[in-house]
Amino acid sequence: MGEESTPQGGQKLSLTGSVALGTGVMIGAGIFALVGQVAELAGGWIPWAFFAGAVVVAYSSYSYIRYSATNPSSGGIAMLLKAAYGPGIVAGSFSLFMYVSMILAESLLGRTFATYLLRPFGMQSSALWVPVLAVVAIAAAALVNLVGNRWVERSSTVTAAIKILGIAVLAIAGILSAGVSSLGRLFTTADRTPPEAGWLGFLAGVTLCILAYKGFTTITNQGADLREPKRNIGRAIMIAISLCTALYLLITVAVTGSLTVPQILEARDYALAEAAEPTFGTWGVRLTVMIAVVATISGLVASLFSVSKLYDMLRDMGQAPGLPGEKRHQSLFITAGLAIIMAAFFDLSQIASLGAIFYLAMDIAVHWGIIRHLKDDVQAKTWIPWTAIMLDIVVLVPFLILRAQSAPFTLVITAAVALIILTAQWLVVWHRDRDSAPMQ
């Protein structure tokens, strides 16, 4: 993949750089846009939903860590699925499920950027300017990636620090304003509005929370670029998940201490900005907007970098088509182009739902592949991926049930996209096998 393969002109990514790239993808739309979406399902139990999401992701990460530490590569998940299921339709389809879920995450980042940027002007619900600015943000992030990897890593390290410190300041200030005793609400149901749909709603909310963590999977794509990958991939993933969990718990406690559930739902796409206003006033909104802009733009830059590598691997494996001509930046153009289309035509709720469903379907396939085909190769303890599968199902089924009741069209879109992926994958594999067959 030429000069795109190694950061900083041939230098390998450090553990810090890897964590920065991972958190750069994770801390973005996940926390800024999803708090309101989660509140719709989980009510006032938002902090617990984010903690439960971290538990699910911690179990899920085991399969990725075991495989990537044993077989470090730039393909990460694509190589795992190929090793488990062979280079056929199953591996290609689930790899594309992951690819599509990450593109959806990019479109979520784009629309979150636009929503927060427009909040000080009262235009955060504009049907015109939100998609327009989302498209501009994705295009700008693609241009940064064209400059080269050294800018990607440098910007990711700096912006990850800004995001972590900024969100921590907002969270701590919000908790101090609500009273340090508000931290005790993590351990009690007192004064918390329960989910309207009970435990079904809570579990469905956890499904969306997982979107705030799933960026850890992009670290598995760094195997070829990372120093001491067999040691550092697992460390980078666990550090990134731990950092995000701590921040998410702090910020969700602060939000639920500042706003009631109805207020969070009213400001569902920009709840963090709304929560900052009672404590900081207008300046709090501006500060939150600034952090959100940095978080979403840097998340886009890091995500386009990692997801383009995944498409490179799929194309090289014959699992995804390429464009005619020079291959150097093809994957970046394809990824950014698809993210732009989705950001222009889907709203935040639809994007989040589609992304969660595709990601969890792929995640289950990964764990099953480890259990059935790779457990000996990667020396995996099978009870952990079995637990991960059960947890995925426990949160996904309630989510599908509630979405079928409240937003059936979203499930229709999901089924249509899945059918397109399966059909396209069958055609790509059929053409690849036909072209590679020996002449009689």
Side-chain angles (χ1 to χ4, degrees):
M1 290 181 283
E3 65 182 26
E4 289 186 353
S5 294
T6 53
Q8 298 186 11
Q11 296 181 27
K12 293 284 189 177
L13 273 170
S14 63
L15 175 61
T16 301
S18 177
V19 171
L21 280 172
T23 54
V25 178
M26 293 165 76
I27 303 176
I31 191 62
F32 285 96
L34 290 178
V35 170
Q37 308 285 337
V38 174
E40 185 180 18
L41 295 166
W45 297 4
I46 301 170
W48 300 337
F50 274 92
F51 181 75
V55 172
V56 174
V57 169
Y59 276 100
S60 289
S61 68
Y62 178 79
S63 294
Y64 300 90
I65 291 171
R66 290 309 310 152
Y67 181 82
S68 298
T70 307
N71 305 281
S73 75
S74 295
I77 294 166
M79 292 299 292
L80 191 163
L81 289 165
K82 179 185 176 183
Y85 298 102
I89 295 172
V90 174
S93 296
F94 282 112
S95 294
L96 286 174
F97 277 18
M98 179 60 184
Y99 178 70
V100 169
S101 77
M102 294 306 292
I103 290 175
L104 287 160
E106 289 162 3
S107 61
L108 188 70
L109 284 163
R111 289 190 74 101
T112 303
F113 162 84
T115 301
Y116 273 80
L117 189 63
L118 292 168
R119 168 63 178 78
F121 309 101
M123 299 169 61
Q124 64 272 11
S125 301
S126 171
L128 171 64
W129 287 108
V130 169
V132 166
L133 288 179
V135 167
V136 170
I138 295 168
L143 286 175
V144 173
N145 273 273
L146 286 174
V147 172
N149 288 13
R150 72 178 65 185
W151 296 104
V152 173
E153 183 179 2
R154 285 176 183 173
S155 66
S156 294
T157 304
V158 173
T159 55
I162 292 172
K163 287 185 289 188
I164 290 170
L165 290 174
I167 293 175
V169 167
L170 286 174
I172 292 169
I175 290 169
L176 290 175
S177 176
V180 177
S181 60
S182 62
L183 281 172
R185 299 175 73 211
L186 269 174
F187 309 102
T188 175
T189 58
D191 301 323
R192 286 201 178 276
T193 305
E196 191 174 313
W199 281 102
L200 204 66
F202 174 76
L203 293 172
V206 175
T207 301
L208 289 181
C209 292
I210 289 170
L211 289 178
Y213 297 99
K214 76 181 184 68
F216 85 86
T217 58
T218 59
I219 296 174
T220 66
N221 296 341
Q222 300 167 8
D225 300 337
L226 184 62
R227 298 175 198 158
E228 300 184 67
K230 294 187 176 183
R231 178 186 179 203
N232 283 335
I233 283 179
R235 294 171 68 196
I237 287 173
M238 296 314 297
I239 291 171
I241 292 173
S242 299
L243 273 173
C244 289
T245 301
L247 284 175
Y248 294 166
L249 286 177
L250 286 173
I251 200 68
T252 51
V253 168
V255 169
T256 53
S258 299
L259 302 175
T260 64
V261 171
Q263 288 173 325
I264 295 172
L265 293 177
E266 187 178 348
R268 54 185 290 166
D269 293 343
Y270 50 94
L272 265 62
E274 205 70 13
E277 194 163 17
T279 303
F280 297 102
T282 303
W283 281 105
V285 174
R286 292 175 182 171
L287 176 62
T288 308
V289 167
M290 183 192 74
I291 297 170
V293 167
V294 171
T296 49
I297 287 292
S298 61
L300 275 169
V301 171
S303 181
L304 284 169
F305 174 78
S306 297
V307 179
S308 296
K309 283 183 170 295
L310 174 59
Y311 195 88
D312 275 330
M313 182 61 67
L314 290 172
R315 184 189 59 208
D316 294 343
M317 289 163 53
Q319 302 283 169
L323 299 174
E326 173 63 41
K327 289 185 176 182
R328 185 179 174 194
H329 296 300
Q330 269 193 27
S331 59
L332 178 61
F333 294 143
I334 292 170
T335 302
L338 290 172
I340 283 171
I341 291 171
M342 291 177 180
F345 294 105
F346 294 127
D347 63 29
L348 285 175
S349 180
Q350 290 171 324
I351 291 169
S353 296
L354 266 68
I357 294 168
F358 281 121
Y359 171 74
L360 286 174
M362 180 281 307
D363 195 55
I364 291 170
V366 164
H367 302 314
W368 182 246
I370 292 287
I371 292 167
R372 290 286 295 169
H373 305 290
L374 300 176
K375 63 179 183 294
D376 294 329
D377 294 341
V378 302
Q379 298 179 333
K381 299 176 181 178
T382 57
W383 71 267
I384 302 178
W386 268 121
T387 303
I389 289 174
M390 295 307 299
L391 291 174
D392 283 349
I393 293 172
V394 163
V395 299
L396 180 58
V397 171
F399 183 76
L400 293 174
I401 292 171
L402 292 183
R403 277 292 177 259
Q405 296 171 357
S406 63
F409 184 63
T410 299
L411 297 188
V412 172
I413 295 173
T414 305
V417 173
L419 182 61
I420 290 169
I421 289 173
L422 290 168
T423 304
Q425 185 59 205
W426 179 82
L427 289 171
V428 168
V429 171
W430 179 74
H431 279 290
R432 182 196 67 193
D433 293 346
R434 185 193 64 177
D435 294 342
S436 62
M439 297 294 291
Q440 297 295 327

